[in-house]
Amino acid sequence: MAVYTRLGAEEMARIIDAFDVGTLISAKGIAEGVSNSNWLVETQRESATQRFILTMYENRVEIGDLPFFLDLLDHLAARDCPVPRTIHDRDGASYRMHDGKALALIEFLPGVSVSEPTAGQARAVGAALAQIHLAGADFPMQRANG
């Protein structure tokens, strides 16, 4: 499982509360991923249930790179690209620090991983990549490729 850092229920509830997305109902570790800890988080606000992905960036991520990647997600989402939106915390930050590690909360996009894509699915991915490429053309930030 790709959860390298364990968080207790009370600790997870405090983290989620900082993002003002409702009351934590559940948090389940996600097996996919190789370098970060990831959870599928479910919250409730009034009668609405919402799902998010919480990522704790482990030691292999440069914290200074996070604003670029998270702002890029927001930029693309604002242009109707098929990407998750970053959930900002109560202070407006796109990520928070917890015990020396960065945490980010993003929208959950439903779907399944496809093992053997069809030609139609491949075309849809190509169209989505073109949309992302065009929408990113006016993104103001730059980052050297590592």
Side-chain angles (χ1 to χ4, degrees):
M1 177 170 297
V3 175
Y4 304 104
T5 300
R6 301 284 176 207
L7 297 173
E10 296 83 7
E11 191 174 18
M12 181 67 78
R14 282 191 301 275
I15 290 167
I16 296 305
D17 183 61
F19 289 94
D20 195 25
V21 292
T23 303
L24 178 67
I25 296 173
S26 67
K28 181 179 180 183
I30 298 174
E32 286 85 4
V34 294
S35 62
N36 299 317
S37 295
N38 299 287
W39 296 267
L40 174 59
V41 173
E42 193 170 61
T43 67
Q44 186 166 7
R45 182 186 304 245
E46 298 171 10
S47 61
T49 301
Q50 303 174 93
R51 297 173 109 190
F52 304 95
I53 301 295
L54 178 69
T55 297
M56 176 176 278
Y57 298 93
E58 302 291 349
N59 298 325
R60 295 176 54 192
V61 173
E62 292 291 329
I63 303 300
D65 289 339
L66 287 179
F68 174 86
F69 292 115
L70 297 173
D71 288 356
L72 179 58
L73 274 181
D74 287 341
H75 180 85
L76 296 173
R79 284 155 179 78
D80 296 322
C81 291
V83 301
R85 185 176 52 95
T86 302
I87 307 301
H88 293 240
D89 70 10
R90 292 176 189 266
D91 298 325
S94 60
Y95 70 93
R96 299 181 59 81
M97 297 302 294
H98 181 80
D99 289 340
K101 297 178 182 177
L103 291 165
L105 191 68
I106 63 170
E107 288 180 317
F108 174 80
L109 297 181
V112 295
S113 297
V114 176
S115 302
E116 297 180 31
T118 66
Q121 289 167 326
R123 276 191 297 279
V125 169
L129 287 173
Q131 179 186 5
I132 288 168
H133 178 76
L134 293 171
D138 64 344
F139 182 60
M141 296 176 76
Q142 293 187 355
R143 174 185 170 272
N145 187 348

